[in-house]
Amino acid sequence: MGLVRSNPIVRFEMRRRFSGFAAAAGIGIAIGIPGLAVVVAYALTVRGNDQFNGIDSFNNTGVILLTTVVVALTGTLVLFVPALAGGSIASERANQTLQPLQLTLLRPAQIVVGKLIASSAYLMVVIACALPVIAIPYLLGGVPVRTVITCLIVLAAIAIELAAVSVWVSSWFTKPVGAIVTALAMSLALCLGPWIVAGLTLVSQVTVAAAESPPPFDENAARLLAATSPTALFGFVDLGDIADDDPAGSSGRLVAAACWLGVTTLCIRGASKRVVAPAERDR
Amino acid sequence: MIDGHADEQQAPRAPSDGAAAAVSFRGVSKVYGTNVALNDVTVDLPAGCVCGLVGPNGAGKSTLLSIAATLLRPTAGTVEVFGHPIADTAAVRGVVGYVPDVLGLYTGLSVVDYLDFFADSYAVKADQRPGLIDGLLELVDLGGKRDADVNTLSRGMKQRLALARGLINDPKLLLLDEPASGLDPRARIELRDIIAHLNGLGVTIVVSSHILAELEEMCSHALVIEHGRLAGFEHLGDEPDRVVTVTYLDAPAEQYRISDDAAQAALVARLVGEGRNVVSVSTDTTGLEARFMRLTAGELN
Ligand SMILES: Nc1ncnc2c1ncn2[C@@H]1O[C@H](COP(=O)(O)OP(=O)(O)OP(=O)(O)O)[C@@H](O)[C@H]1O
Ligand SMILES: [Mg+2]
């Protein structure tokens, strides 16, 4: 509990996070990119609207717009979060401010969680600021509020996981630049890697299935693989059309949630071990 | 100064009464790869002392201080701070203040906010922090810079801010790594006054430097290390080893051991009063510098 409440690092980092030009610029970027994407998508979909309208349980334009906004926001987060959180511990090392911190009564986990909370809080504000853009599919496309809210929650969860990974990467570095670049690579690998591997698995299975007469085709393995990506959390979003109550869908969601929890806690624990003074390592 | 030390010169490694030791190093070694930074250092620093830690660059001064501050673990040997083994980091950190040679200050916030954050991190209650911080700022003479951005402070002011940070947990032992580096002569004198003041309040202080003259004026003890080895540890000040050579017009020169200026003046008055034809009275330097040279030269033999 002391990790969150009465944690001096939280207060201290919040103040630094939410001040200055960078804080405002970050919010601008996070609204600008999805905003632009939604405008383009709207312009493209409105034309062909008549052909598709009325097929699904709710307006197709809405689904397309929502997907566009959410994909754009996720992409922004994947690039933005490492830049935001990747320097958090490495820069303390670079500025030699970590030693004085290590000597205080703060526990290493408090330092790590404090930094994570401050970064996440800023990201929540960024996501909240993107709310008007997310509201466009709701207003124009008739997407239910419930769906929009689930999307917001999933975006927040992705942001937190990526922040935790970035802080963990940061704890291994002594220079912020190296940490940020590595965190960026990790972030991309974590979000896209499982999909690529899953895709390759499917392709190879299809190839094998085509060669043999009784097809040992099993798309569940690929699905579960893909579910390890934080983006698989979007499986929780109800798009109405695809009846997602098949067993693979729910086990995929379970895997996605478990992976989110596992990666986040492991990163916090790993970073905490790296933040202690050298005298306390490996003890 | 609370101190029951006899002459340490003959046996620099002899442990003194353990109970009174602020820091006790026993066979402490620190090896980085193949580089031996500290080699079997055994010494007790008595509580209440101001101990100068002297040695050339790379001697292992910072390493020794980092170990006592619980940042580094020795490769071999044991260290106790006021009876707490350094592995008990929580207990040791509660009584130690450490100001490293790199100041490591956060920028972009005010002096008072900076100290408030550290007070908070040492679990000082919110209602006690303003009083504590005001007292510290006054002590280090930064009262006028309360609301200044840490960035805008001069080097000397940053040094004093780091000192205030090191004092925020009201330590019994203060470890200062080259606190005088980058300070102008006036700031050095002020630093010396602060150290004397804190020592008067009962704080044991270990201060490293290679500016020997600075240490001599403020230290009760000197600890010399060279190439990671303890080259000497001694009590400064009260030993009567000032040797005065008196030459006469009509007699062979004589040597006297005296303790201080007053005794020397009395000696001259007595000799002149006895009607002897004193030509010159010269004092051998017995200062830290001379001893440092002697100690390190002795070690090299
Ligand atoms: N992190 C480290 N890794 C490897 N070697 C180190 C490390 N820190 C110190 N050393 C080595 O240990 C020895 C002692 O270093 P230390 O910094 O303790 O010396 P010092 O007496 O403080 O020197 P200075 O007067 O220059 O500050 C040196 O040879 C140094 O190269
Ligand atoms: Mg040093």
Side-chain angles (χ1 to χ4, degrees):
Chain A
M1 212 54 216
L3 284 181
V4 182
R5 293 174 66 224
S6 72
N7 181 343
I9 297 279
V10 175
R11 273 192 292 281
F12 179 69
E13 289 282 327
M14 287 279 197
R15 197 181 208 160
R16 282 153 54 98
R17 276 275 174 251
F18 284 94
S19 64
F21 173 74
I27 290 173
I29 291 171
I31 306 170
I33 294 176
L36 204 67
V38 83
V39 168
V40 172
Y42 187 69
L44 292 177
T45 47
V46 170
R47 277 193 231 149
N49 206 12
D50 293 334
Q51 291 159 266
F52 299 105
N53 215 355
I55 294 173
D56 299 324
S57 56
F58 51 79
N59 196 319
N60 205 328
T61 310
V63 175
I64 291 172
L65 288 184
L66 183 70
T67 311
T68 311
V69 176
V70 164
V71 167
L73 250 176
T74 309
T76 310
L77 285 177
V78 169
L79 304 178
F80 184 71
V81 176
L84 180 82
S88 54
I89 293 171
S91 67
E92 296 255 2
R93 287 218 178 84
N95 300 330
Q96 294 176 298
T97 50
L98 193 58
Q99 276 196 353
L101 271 191
Q102 288 168 334
L103 290 178
T104 65
L105 301 178
L106 294 173
R107 282 174 291 134
Q110 265 181 304
I111 298 176
V112 170
V113 171
K115 286 181 179 294
L116 184 59
I117 288 177
S119 299
S120 303
Y122 176 74
L123 290 166
M124 296 307 111
V125 171
V126 166
I127 292 172
C129 287
L131 205 60
V133 184
I134 300 172
I136 295 174
Y138 164 70
L139 296 173
L140 296 181
V143 173
V145 181
R146 175 171 46 90
T147 305
V148 174
I149 288 176
T150 323
C151 279
L152 280 176
I153 293 172
V154 170
L155 281 169
I158 291 175
I160 290 171
E161 178 174 345
L162 293 180
V165 170
S166 300
V167 170
W168 174 70
V169 169
S170 194
S171 72
W172 285 85
F173 280 79
T174 51
K175 299 257 161 52
V177 176
I180 288 172
V181 171
T182 312
L184 196 62
M186 282 291 287
S187 170
L188 281 168
L190 200 66
C191 290
L192 299 181
W195 292 105
I196 295 172
V197 175
L200 290 178
T201 315
L202 270 186
V203 168
S204 70
Q205 281 186 350
V206 169
T207 324
V208 172
E212 296 173 21
S213 29
F217 188 78
D218 176 22
E219 64 164 44
N220 278 354
R223 269 202 192 202
L224 294 184
L225 251 173
T228 57
S229 166
T231 54
L233 289 170
F234 283 115
F236 283 97
V237 177
D238 176 17
L239 283 179
D241 53 344
I242 315 150
D244 221 3
D245 43 22
D246 63 313
S250 61
S251 59
R253 283 195 290 270
L254 204 68
V255 170
C259 281
W260 180 86
L261 198 66
V263 170
T264 308
T265 43
L266 280 180
C267 283
I268 292 173
R269 290 183 54 176
S272 303
K273 285 207 181 111
R274 299 284 316 166
V275 163
V276 296
E280 294 163 278
R281 285 223 185 115
D282 320 317
R283 240 201 204 155
Chain B
M1 252 132 276
I2 328 145
D3 175 37
H5 264 251
D7 188 7
E8 290 272 3
Q9 226 168 308
Q10 257 60 48
R13 289 171 175 222
S16 67
D17 42 326
V23 198
S24 151
F25 296 95
R26 287 278 167 281
V28 172
S29 299
K30 178 71 190 177
V31 181
Y32 293 104
T34 57
N35 185 358
V36 182
L38 287 177
N39 191 348
D40 194 21
V41 172
T42 297
V43 67
D44 283 324
L45 308 184
C49 73
V50 179
C51 180
L53 180 54
V54 195
N57 288 135
K61 304 183 293 293
S62 300
T63 305
L64 196 70
L65 292 177
S66 301
I67 288 173
T70 73
L71 285 170
L72 286 180
R73 195 190 319 164
T75 314
T78 57
V79 182
E80 287 186 0
V81 176
F82 286 107
H84 306 292
I86 48 164
D88 185 359
T89 51
V92 174
R93 286 172 190 175
V95 294
V96 171
Y98 171 58
V99 184
D101 48 356
V102 287
L103 303 177
L105 302 172
Y106 292 109
T107 54
L109 76 173
S110 70
V111 166
V112 66
D113 287 343
Y114 180 79
L115 290 177
D116 189 74
F117 167 65
F118 274 93
D120 196 2
S121 301
Y122 274 108
V124 178
K125 296 225 162 51
D127 55 343
Q128 291 170 358
R129 279 183 237 147
L132 172 72
I133 290 166
D134 286 346
L136 286 174
L137 287 178
E138 197 187 326
L139 176 72
V140 300
D141 197 21
L142 281 177
K145 291 284 180 182
R146 270 184 69 91
D147 299 311
D149 190 311
V150 173
N151 256 338
T152 65
L153 300 184
S154 74
R155 162 88 201 179
M157 291 171 183
K158 284 180 177 159
Q159 187 82 55
R160 295 203 299 258
L161 179 59
L163 178 61
R165 180 190 70 211
L167 289 169
I168 214 143
N169 59 337
D170 192 17
K172 284 160 72 183
L173 171 68
L174 184 61
L175 307 170
L176 304 175
D177 200 354
E178 312 225 6
S181 68
L183 298 191
D184 63 24
R186 184 198 168 84
R188 284 196 186 145
I189 292 168
E190 284 167 1
L191 175 71
R192 204 179 64 202
D193 291 346
I194 293 172
I195 288 177
H197 176 76
L198 289 169
N199 189 238
L201 297 174
V203 182
T204 306
I205 296 161
V206 183
V207 47
S208 87
S209 176
H210 33 241
I211 307 161
L212 298 163
E214 283 300 321
L215 289 177
E216 184 163 25
E217 287 168 48
M218 56 183 159
C219 295
S220 63
H221 291 71
L223 197 164
V224 183
I225 53 173
E226 204 181 55
H227 301 309
R229 283 182 174 278
L230 182 68
F233 177 61
E234 59 181 291
H235 188 200
L236 307 174
D238 69 3
E239 62 274 74
D241 66 348
R242 179 193 288 198
V243 178
V244 173
T245 308
V246 184
T247 57
Y248 302 100
L249 188 61
D250 46 9
E254 288 173 356
Q255 289 196 321
Y256 296 89
R257 288 185 149 261
I258 50 174
S259 54
D260 54 15
D261 284 347
Q264 187 167 332
L267 173 73
V268 174
R270 180 169 64 79
L271 293 174
V272 173
E274 286 171 3
R276 306 188 62 172
N277 297 318
V278 176
V279 173
S280 72
V281 180
S282 61
T283 318
D284 288 1
T285 46
T286 55
L288 191 56
E289 187 132 16
R291 259 181 269 179
F292 175 70
M293 299 311 286
R294 202 175 67 223
L295 282 167
T296 52
E299 179 67 12
L300 287 174
N301 284 341

